[in-house]
Amino acid sequence: MATVTLNDVRKRFGTTQVIHGVDIDIAEGEFIVIVGPSGCGKSTLLRMVAGLETVTEGEVRINGERVNDKEPMDRDIAMVFQNYALYPHMSVFDNMAYGLKIAKTPRTEIAERVQVAAKLLQLEPYLQRKPRELSGGQRQRVAMGRAIVRKPAVFLFDEPLSNLDAKLRVQMRLEIKQLQRELGVTALYVTHDQVEAMTLADRMVVMNAGRADQIGAPLDVYAHPQTEFVAGFIGSPPTNFLDAAVLGGQGARLGIRPEHVHPGPAGSGRITARVLDAEALGAETLIHTRLPSGELLTVRQNGTTGCPGEGEEIGLDWADADEMRFGPDGRRI
Amino acid sequence: MSRSPRSGMVENRGLGLWLTHAGLILGVAFIFFPIWLAFVASTVSQPEIVHPPMPLVPGDQFFENYRKALVAGVNAPVALMLLNSGVMAIGIAVGKIIISLLSAFAIVYFRFPFRRVFFWLIFLTLMLPVEVRIVPTYEVVAGFGMLNSYSGLILPLIASATATFLFRQFFMTVPDELAEAARVDGARPMQFFWDILLPMSRTNIAALFVILFIYGWNQYLWPLLITTDPSMNTIVMGIKQMFPSGDDIADWPVIMATSILAMLPPVVVVIGMQRLFIRGLVESEK
Ligand SMILES: Nc1ncnc2c1ncn2[C@@H]1O[C@H](COP(=O)(O)OP(=O)(O)OP(=O)(O)O)[C@@H](O)[C@H]1O
Ligand SMILES: [Mg+2]
């Protein structure tokens, strides 16, 4: 268990700046998820914590100690890679034991630790198999096992579930969460999947083009996005954005989540819109509309509520409290 | 798909199969015939060879001829030449593999000054086979006093751009994450090389060993140049030296026995390594 602190961390590859100063304070045993679109620098940030990438500027501290110049093995971390990176010619047992062997751990202790990890991950029947003789989910577990046996202070995950099918992903997600809780190890988890982020995180870090736009508990981030980017990235279907000038009030842009918009008869509410299409998904219905200004707006309503037909005009209303207004720089007002 | 076994399709395929086999057998016979002649010649007596027609079935002198070749030979006993060839071929193959593994490892996994320069230097040596640089190489080897020695036979032939390239290509297909995982596990570069890269390359190593062993075994010009002492002769040049010069009478059965013996080690290596090679191919996965 350990704390991890990033102090104004920056990264340049040659002349291109990829990370523009990130500050994060991670408490002991906390599960932090870094989420953001492709190319925003999530992996780069994680790899700087791992020590696989040099830190251009700023400081990475693990347990208060500056680790910028330390080799990965001396940082007391373990990492799970997206493609698992299992050693193909070694058995599952040897894959998990390799790090311990290098650390010259006594043989009996290695066997014991691997057994414990294998039991935890239900890998006992497969210890003598080679990675290619395992299913994707089992390989994923071996990669986890390799991280666990080392008893690291920090787990680092780089999109560990993205190679699995949807169902397995849900199952493994739960397992990872449970495991992390059981072991109490601080975890830093990178994903571009907001569902993973919402369900796993104690706190999540929403990254946007090399900056941490917002750091906070998932529901808090969802309810109170600090920037237009966060409001648009977190939530599905995404937040509607309107030109604030059309409706009056301050700010440049107005964001309103689909579930906060209530449809009514034409002429009622704040604004009138024409229905383009209605998607009935069973539990909920998504109504796509076009405003007189030409902007599109999606409404999300309960699946049992009657839904207007295509081309019909409806009135849209929402509570003042649900409005999110953003300045011209994208920051929340 | 179900089809009656007597349908035309199957019969056609049957016929095609026979034709294919007949063609292949003919091809094998064509290639194999000279070798068969050599074998027959190595089992008969000298008078039987020189009197036409040439015998086509083995005679009764097998043990006599081969014993004579192995222990006496013409200039040097064939057993000794086989040993020399074996040492040279294995030395070249193993040396080339070690050198090229290490240089490919350096080029792929390390960033050092003038990396590209070194890469292109290695590349350039492709254009300088032994025959081209034979005079300066001879100078150097003679200067080091390595004439008539195993090191003189082996060392100048060891540097290998081809093998370096092959390993470089292979290393580049190994995912970076594997090296990173090893780094996180605490492996030092050479530990990564030994524990992970080397075992993963075993298929390539086996294939290369076969090729390089035969390359080394078949070296002719270089051994001819630097071995003057018959006890250092290799088998391939030894055969040539058995040929009569001037009015000498050639002992053809012994020469033929020597040729057959010279063919055996490469065959053994190919067959022996083939099993390992194919097993490696079937098992290998990145
Ligand atoms: N070695 C490198 N050299 C130069 N640029 C790099 C290098 N590695 C990454 N980048 C750049 O840094 C940016 C961030 O890359 P990174 O891999 O961190 O993205 P990511 O958020 O993990 O994306 P994804 O979700 O697709 O994995 C990208 O624009 C990428 O092109
Ligand atoms: Mg990434």
Side-chain angles (χ1 to χ4, degrees), chain A residues 13 18 37-44 159 192:
Chain A
F13 288 110
V18 172
S38 186
C40 68
K42 310 179 293 287
S43 299
T44 307
E159 310 209 16
H192 59 255

Side-chain angles (χ1 to χ4, degrees), chain B residues 3 15-16 39 51 68 79 84 89 95 132 139 151-152 169 172 184:
Chain B
R3 219 178 235 281
L15 188 65
F39 176 71
H51 288 292
K68 200 170 154 197
N84 291 341
V132 174
E139 241 344 274
S151 44
Q169 284 328 97
M172 296 211 304
V184 172

Side-chain angles (χ1 to χ4, degrees), chain A residues 47 51-52 71-73 77-79 81 83 85-90 95 98-99 102 132 139 146 150, chain B residues 175 177-178 180-188 191-192 195-197 199-200 202 282-286:
Chain A
R47 290 162 56 81
L52 295 171
E71 273 291 299
M73 63 170 300
I77 51 116
M79 182 150 172
F81 295 86
N83 63 3
L86 301 178
Y87 311 124
H89 59 287
M90 291 188 194
N95 260 286
Y98 186 58
I102 289 180
R132 72 173 167 289
R139 282 181 214 189
R146 191 165 65 177
R150 302 184 52 220
Chain B
E177 282 88 348
L178 226 48
E180 290 175 349
R183 216 173 134 198
V184 172
D185 267 341
R188 299 289 166 205
Q191 268 172 323
F192 169 69
D195 295 343
I196 290 153
L197 223 43
M200 283 179 71
R202 66 191 188 285
V282 173
E283 277 182 4
S284 91
E285 187 213 39
K286 281 186 272 301

Side-chain angles (χ1 to χ4, degrees), chain B residues 115-129:
Chain B
R115 186 166 76 141
R116 292 189 69 86
V117 175
F118 281 108
F119 179 77
W120 286 108
L121 279 179
I122 293 173
F123 190 76
L124 274 179
T125 62
L126 268 181
M127 297 171 206
L128 300 171

Side-chain angles (χ1 to χ4, degrees), chain A residues 130-317:
Chain A
K130 296 276 171 64
R132 72 173 167 289
E133 297 160 343
L134 300 175
S135 73
Q138 289 161 346
R139 282 181 214 189
Q140 218 286 324
R141 285 206 186 90
V142 178
M144 299 269 304
R146 191 165 65 177
I148 290 174
V149 291
R150 302 184 52 220
K151 299 193 179 160
V154 185
F155 279 144
L156 305 175
F157 300 91
D158 193 352
E159 310 209 16
L161 303 182
S162 56
N163 284 348
L164 301 179
D165 67 53
K167 204 169 158 191
L168 204 53
R169 202 146 54 202
V170 174
Q171 184 194 337
M172 287 308 295
R173 196 168 76 204
L174 293 172
E175 280 183 31
I176 287 182
K177 178 88 176 175
Q178 258 171 11
L179 215 60
Q180 191 265 349
R181 284 282 177 269
E182 232 167 275
L183 303 170
V185 177
T186 311
L188 204 54
Y189 185 110
V190 162
T191 180
H192 59 255
D193 178 7
Q194 52 165 311
V195 180
E196 258 171 49
M198 296 291 289
T199 49
L200 283 172
D202 290 326
R203 281 191 301 156
M204 63 193 215
V205 178
V206 185
M207 296 237 347
N208 173 23
R211 290 194 173 77
D213 259 22
Q214 189 168 0
I215 303 176
L219 288 179
D220 198 41
V221 172
Y222 184 85
H224 309 289
Q226 290 307 306
T227 67
E228 196 177 324
F229 172 81
V230 175
F233 188 75
I234 303 292
S236 173
T239 302
N240 301 298
F241 288 102
L242 310 175
D243 191 346
V246 175
L247 289 150
Q250 45 172 180
R253 303 265 280 163
L254 182 153
I256 181 78
R257 291 203 182 273
E259 64 267 33
H260 292 150
V261 184
H262 309 293
S268 72
R270 298 176 182 239
I271 199 164
T272 302
R274 186 175 293 280
V275 176
L276 293 176
D277 184 25
E279 293 179 293
L281 302 174
E284 64 188 32
T285 304
L286 302 180
I287 307 168
H288 302 286
T289 68
R290 188 189 293 280
L291 303 181
S293 59
E295 288 164 312
L296 300 177
L297 190 148
T298 303
V299 181
R300 178 175 167 183
Q301 66 172 21
N302 206 310
T304 53
T305 316
C307 100
E310 247 172 74
E312 243 177 78
E313 295 225 316
I314 55 173
L316 302 176
D317 198 12

Side-chain angles (χ1 to χ4, degrees), chain B residues 134-154:
Chain B
I134 202 156
V135 174
T137 310
Y138 182 86
E139 241 344 274
V140 172
V141 169
F144 278 112
M146 293 198 293
L147 300 179
N148 286 315
S149 73
Y150 285 137
S151 44
L153 280 172
I154 294 169

